[in-house]
Amino acid sequence: MTNTKDSQKALKITAEDETTYELEKVKKFKYLGVVITDKNEMEEEIEERIMKGSINLGRLNKFLTSKNVTRQTKKQVYKTVIRPTVLYACETSTLTKKWEQRLEIGERKILRKIYGGIKEQEQ
C-alpha cells in the first residue's frame, strides 16, 4: 500500500502477472480530441471548440465573402465544415446558458459573413 502523499500523485495498478503500472495524476488531458479535466469542467473544452471554429472561419474567409459563390453553397459549407468542428463531442457535456449564448454569438458571426452586412436605405 502506498502512503497518502504518493496516492495523490499516482495510481498503482498490479496486473494478474504481477506487473505493476503507475498512472500519473494530471489536471487535464486530451482524449479523442476532447479536453478532459480532473474536475469535469467543460469551459476549457467549449473555448477550444469555439477557437477551432474561428480558425476554420478564418481559413474560409475568402470563400464565405466571395460574390461568385451562392449563399446556399456557403450555408452548406458552414453546416458541413464549421458547425461540426464547434459541436464535436458536445453531447458529452452539459450546456449552460452562458455557453449556449457564446455558441449562438459565434453562429451569428458566421451567418453575417455569409449574408453580408445590412444596407441602410436612404430616405
Side-chain angles (χ1 to χ4, degrees):
M1 188 79 184
T2 61
N3 64 28
T4 310
K5 187 176 180 182
D6 288 340
S7 65
Q8 291 176 354
K9 292 182 180 178
L11 174 66
K12 291 186 179 183
I13 298 174
T14 306
E16 290 178 3
D17 64 354
E18 299 301 321
T19 307
T20 302
Y21 300 96
E22 190 171 312
L23 303 175
E24 179 184 353
K25 182 177 179 181
V26 295
K27 297 237 182 240
K28 66 178 180 178
F29 64 96
K30 192 174 273 197
Y31 179 71
L32 298 176
V34 178
V35 176
I36 299 174
T37 64
D38 60 343
K39 295 181 182 174
N40 201 24
E41 297 167 338
M42 294 307 296
E43 287 82 10
E44 194 168 328
E45 174 60 24
I46 294 171
E47 282 291 337
E48 187 169 323
R49 294 276 124 219
I50 292 171
M51 180 192 67
K52 287 183 178 184
S54 294
I55 289 170
N56 280 347
L57 180 63
R59 290 178 179 160
L60 294 169
N61 188 41
K62 284 187 179 181
F63 174 80
L64 293 175
T65 57
S66 173
K67 303 285 185 195
N68 299 327
V69 181
T70 65
R71 286 182 178 163
Q72 186 63 33
T73 303
K74 293 175 187 179
K75 286 187 340 187
Q76 191 64 38
V77 168
Y78 161 66
K79 289 178 182 177
T80 57
V81 176
I82 299 172
R83 187 186 282 173
T85 301
V86 174
L87 297 180
Y88 178 76
C90 71
E91 66 273 0
T92 62
S93 63
T94 304
L95 194 62
T96 63
K97 193 70 169 168
K98 173 186 170 186
W99 292 109
E100 184 178 349
Q101 289 173 345
R102 290 282 317 271
L103 291 171
E104 288 172 352
I105 289 168
E107 184 170 41
R108 286 193 300 269
K109 177 182 174 183
I110 294 165
L111 293 176
R112 278 194 304 272
K113 276 221 187 276
I114 292 172
Y115 289 106
I118 299 172
K119 296 181 180 179
E120 293 185 17
Q121 294 183 5
E122 294 181 28
Q123 294 188 18

